[in-house]
Structure formats: structure tokens, C-alpha cells
Amino acid sequence: MFRALAAGWTGTRDWTPERLGARFSDREVPVIPLTDGLCGYEHESGVVYERRTVGAYVDSLRSSSKPEWFLTVRLREHFPELALEGGVPEYCLNARWRDARVSIGGDGTTTPIHAELAHNLLAVIRGEKELALFAPWQSHRLYFRPFSGAPHISPVDPYVLDARRFPRAASATPWRVLLRSGDVLFLPRGWWHAVRTNEMTVALSSWWADGMSSFVPRAASLYKRLRDLRT
């Protein structure tokens, strides 16, 4: 983990929920509905999405004590302006495959335990996030379904390892990490993680793969398009 590394990124200095909400007020984007704070998904078709304008979404975060949705989208597709401002971290500047995602979330938003096929630099631009990390060798304890519509998502509750429903999960051992404004965490590919937002937060994920491993996320993207999966 790199403490306060992103604090020096001048391109993201104005990335606050309020300013992004005002700047892109009328832009419609996909958001994930939450159930008791947890992002929704379906094993057959992947992540569930609804459509909201950025302004309406940020207003909902301000006005509700419990967030109803979570915004996490690919920069190049939904916010190309931010892709230019955020730039590319030098760690992955020359990688053969790259992608980036911006997230705006409210207090209590939690992602399921999931893993990615590329390395990730997770930067908290504003706010605070808490992660539960599980090493790749704990995969069998997390009951993921490799041939489902959400093969990268575990059905195990990230904060309640229910031994009755998932006996193997009782022996899973998570590492806990707290990221505050400006902190950046390196997440190697294959590491399972759940992310809980502790206050209204803007975060930037920069994914990359190089060498032969760069073909893996490309193949996964093709697989998802063929099966019409939502991620």
C-alpha cells in the first residue's frame, strides 16, 4: 500500500462527489442497486444495473442515510473527460492491456467478494474504503462458480462467513486494509476482495496486464460478450 500517493495527482484534485455531480449532472450512467448496502448480481447474467443521471445519483447519496445504488463505470466509455484528467499511472503506462474505472459510493456500500484477471491500482481520491482480502489459494473456500454468469464473484458474505451455508468459508482468513483519501493499494490479479465504503467516496481503479497475461482479460471480454454477461 502507498500512503497518500494519489494526493499528489493534480488531474484528480477536483474529483469530489459534489463537483462530479454538478459537472455531469445530466449524464445518464448505469448504477448498481443495493440490498442492505450490498451490490446486486445474478449468477446467470452477472451484475444488475439500472440507469440514473449522475446528478440524481449524487443527490440521492446526500439525501439518504442508506445508499440505494452504487456507481462504478469504465472511464473511457462513460467519462472520457476524466480518463484524460486521470491519466495513466507510470506503473502500467507501457502495459499491453489497460482499463480504468471510476466509482462514486455512499457510506455503507459493499461489493461482494470478487477477483479480477488483471493487476489493479485502487486509489481512493476522496473518502475512505475498507477492504477484506483473500489470497488466490483460498478460492476453494469462497464457493465461486467458474461457469456461471458471475464467475468472478463469490456468494459468501464478505463480513459474515456463514459456516452453516458455506462450511469451507469458516476457514477463510481475510486480511483487512483501510484506505483513506490519497491512499493507493496494489491488488495483484487473482486476489479476492470485498470493498466497503465508509463515507461518500470517489475512487479510481487502474487495471493492467502485460506479456502473455494480457490475453486473459481480452479473452474474458470476448467470453462476456458472447454470453451477454453484465460486469
Side-chain angles (χ1 to χ4, degrees), residues 16-27:
T16 67
E18 295 79 11
R19 289 175 179 172
L20 294 178
R23 181 178 174 184
F24 301 106
S25 178
D26 296 327
R27 186 167 302 183

Side-chain angles (χ1 to χ4, degrees), residues 165-185:
R165 290 183 61 201
F166 306 107
R168 295 195 303 272
S171 60
T173 306
W175 285 264
R176 307 285 184 181
V177 179
L178 184 65
L179 301 178
R180 296 188 174 93
S181 295
D183 291 343
V184 179
L185 178 67

Side-chain angles (χ1 to χ4, degrees), residues 69-83:
W69 301 280
F70 177 45
L71 191 162
T72 176
V73 295
R74 284 182 164 82
L75 278 180
R76 287 179 294 183
E77 182 177 353
H78 297 284
F79 295 105
E81 306 93 333
L82 299 184

Side-chain angles (χ1 to χ4, degrees), residues 141-154:
R141 299 172 181 169
L142 299 178
Y143 291 83
F144 75 105
R145 303 178 184 180
F147 300 107
S148 72
H152 64 303
I153 297 178
S154 165

Side-chain angles (χ1 to χ4, degrees), residues 10 22 32 37 40 52 66 89 91 130 153 164 171 201 206 223:
T10 57
I32 304 172
R52 293 288 184 278
K66 181 183 294 186
Y91 304 96
E130 177 186 347
I153 297 178
R164 179 173 297 180
S171 60
T201 296
S206 299
Y223 173 78

Side-chain angles (χ1 to χ4, degrees), residues 103-155:
S103 301
I104 305 174
D107 181 11
T109 302
T110 303
T111 70
I113 300 171
H114 61 286
E116 292 150 359
L117 298 175
H119 299 315
N120 181 11
L121 278 180
L122 173 60
V124 173
I125 307 301
R126 293 289 185 279
E128 183 178 289
K129 286 184 177 289
E130 177 186 347
L131 282 82
L133 304 171
F134 301 84
W137 53 85
Q138 299 196 62
S139 297
H140 70 288
R141 299 172 181 169
L142 299 178
Y143 291 83
F144 75 105
R145 303 178 184 180
F147 300 107
S148 72
H152 64 303
I153 297 178
S154 165

